[in-house]
Amino acid sequence: MGSSGSDGSFTLTDDQQAVREAVRELALGEIAPHAADVDERERYPVEAQQALAKTGFNAVHIPEAYGGAGADAITTVIVIEEVARVCASSSLIPAVNKLGSMPLLLSASEELKARVLPEIAAGDAMISYALSEREAGSDAASMRTRARRDGDDWVLNGTKTWITNAGVSRWYTVMAVTDPDAVRPSQGISAFVVHADDEGFSVGHKERKLGIKGSPTCELHFEQCRIPGDRIIGEPGTGFATALATLDHTRPTIGAQAVGIAQGALDVAITYLKERRQFGSKLADFQALQFMVADMAMRIEAARTLTYQSAAATERGDANRTFLASAAKCLASDVAMAVTTDAVQLLGGAGYTRDFPVERMMRDAKITQIYEGTNQIQRLVMARNLLR
């Protein structure tokens, strides 16, 4: 994972540097050329999915035992960051594959892992994560989706919302209430794996979004949805604990996505400042703009370092991993919003048009402050970890 010392310092390994270079080349060659069209037409980035699957960058985190690359957490965030530099929608392919599969890796039986994970690793299928509902967003424990035993099977009823890559994914990790009378609602929730072909499962309404338009976000409907009994992840009642543990592992990936978006916007702004002339000088010669660029780069570097640090801490199981995961996600997403807004400003009128990618990056950045826990929730998580 990068030689990460007990003092928290780290350097990237040669392998991690090589992965960055490989993904950057792939992103520039096969993902970037389609990014504007993906956004404009609100279409799924099939070119990105094919390119990532072909090179094995679609789900690098899956262990070698299930046909994956077995990449560590820092390598995984590097992949997501580099794809997000050119297309945030496409970066959700590796990010959501990790989000959807992490509950399995943490808590599923060996048989269930062997059933689902090789398909994800091979790029033959993707897996989404279904926790939120219309009335249970930040307060996820108040979900209403139910699962009840019926003979050897489980039967699910309810609706999930805001499901990233819904309809494209073949597998779905779904949280549902199995014990409505549990003393604490969170202890009555279990996790399941549902397949797109399961009886009673359907994909519903697609959201019309501000950004990440290439990644479909839809409702999922479960109407007497019957799944085999062995598709439960871990023991009944452990689903919410698994969901929270998953977020420790995946909030750094949103930090990485945010860092990538911000870096992409800074790259565009720097190129523009070096080329554009006003008042007889290059924009790059104006100190006011130099200071803006310096601040943007400084904040990106801080966010990147914290993101890698949090990824390493989660993988090691450090005591402060939950704090760091929330801190990385929160800082990086706030930085992405600020940096992309400044990038639009630096390009002036041109930045406000769709002829340049910075307006798309600004729209894409906004969601990183909202999903996988709003930044208000992240601050609550951090405070609770500090004060308990």
Side-chain angles (χ1 to χ4, degrees), residues 15 28 45 91 119 182 231 238 294 308 326 354:
D15 284 349
L28 290 172
S91 72
E119 279 186 46
R231 295 255 211 91
T238 63
Y308 293 2
S326 283
R354 292 199 294 249

Side-chain angles (χ1 to χ4, degrees), residues 44 52 57-62 75-81 83-84 87-103 120 126-129 164-165 169 212 215 246-247 249-258 368 371-372:
Y44 182 70
L52 290 164
F57 290 128
N58 55 305
V60 291
H61 69 284
I62 292 180
T75 302
T76 305
V77 296
I78 287 171
V79 171
I80 292 163
E81 176 191 344
V83 176
C87 179
S89 292
S90 298
S91 72
L92 283 161
I93 294 168
V96 173
N97 273 338
K98 179 159 184 176
L99 176 63
S101 62
M102 207 66 221
I120 312 299
M126 296 202 308
I127 184 164
S128 288
Y129 181 83
T164 308
N165 287 347
S169 290
I212 57 164
S215 172
T246 293
L247 293 172
H249 287 269
T250 59
R251 281 173 174 157
T253 69
I254 302 304
Q257 184 185 57
T368 64
Y371 60 15
E372 285 202 37

Side-chain angles (χ1 to χ4, degrees), residues 113-124:
K113 285 193 259 198
R115 167 87 200 278
V116 177
L117 296 175
E119 279 186 46
I120 312 299
D124 297 332

Side-chain angles (χ1 to χ4, degrees), residues 24-204:
R24 183 166 298 187
E25 186 179 337
L26 177 85
L28 290 172
E30 301 192 47
I31 299 175
H34 307 285
D37 183 66
V38 161
D39 177 68
E40 190 76 32
R41 289 169 48 197
E42 305 196 16
R43 68 170 181 84
Y44 182 70
V46 283
E47 300 88 355
Q49 185 179 350
Q50 289 165 359
L52 290 164
K54 183 176 67 188
T55 51
F57 290 128
N58 55 305
V60 291
H61 69 284
I62 292 180
E64 292 174 3
Y66 309 105
D72 61 62
I74 290 180
T75 302
T76 305
V77 296
I78 287 171
V79 171
I80 292 163
E81 176 191 344
E82 287 299 325
V83 176
R85 277 179 80 230
V86 301
C87 179
S89 292
S90 298
S91 72
L92 283 161
I93 294 168
V96 173
N97 273 338
K98 179 159 184 176
L99 176 63
S101 62
M102 207 66 221
L104 285 154
L105 289 166
L106 290 170
S107 306
S109 68
E110 200 49 52
E111 296 77 16
L112 189 55
K113 285 193 259 198
R115 167 87 200 278
V116 177
L117 296 175
E119 279 186 46
I120 312 299
D124 297 332
M126 296 202 308
I127 184 164
S128 288
Y129 181 83
L131 176 64
S132 296
E133 300 180 8
R134 289 271 174 220
E135 302 302 320
S138 294
D139 180 16
S142 65
M143 67 181 66
R144 295 175 186 168
T145 297
R146 297 278 190 266
R148 60 177 172 81
R149 281 192 194 277
D150 184 29
D152 289 338
D153 298 340
W154 289 95
V155 177
L156 279 68
N157 282 284
T159 298
K160 293 291 180 178
T161 49
W162 315 119
I163 310 308
T164 308
N165 287 347
V168 182
S169 290
R170 303 297 293 157
W171 291 100
Y172 297 85
T173 296
V174 181
M175 308 294 162
V177 176
T178 47
D179 180 6
D181 302 320
V183 178
R184 297 176 63 186
S186 61
Q187 292 170 343
I189 293 167
S190 304
F192 300 88
V193 185
V194 176
H195 190 270
D197 294 337
D198 287 336
E199 169 197 345
F201 170 83
S202 61
V203 177

Side-chain angles (χ1 to χ4, degrees), residues 3 13 25 65 77 88 94 100 110 135 184 208 276 296 304-305 319 326:
S3 48
T13 64
E25 186 179 337
V77 296
E110 200 49 52
E135 302 302 320
R184 297 176 63 186
R208 297 160 58 226
R276 169 100 166 141
M296 291 158 79
R304 180 180 287 117
T305 301
S326 283

Side-chain angles (χ1 to χ4, degrees), residues 264-274 293 296 342-343 346-347 358:
L266 178 62
D267 293 345
V268 173
I270 286 174
T271 300
Y272 188 84
L273 292 183
K274 286 175 169 176
V293 170
M296 291 158 79
D342 279 351
L346 286 168
L347 268 68
V358 288

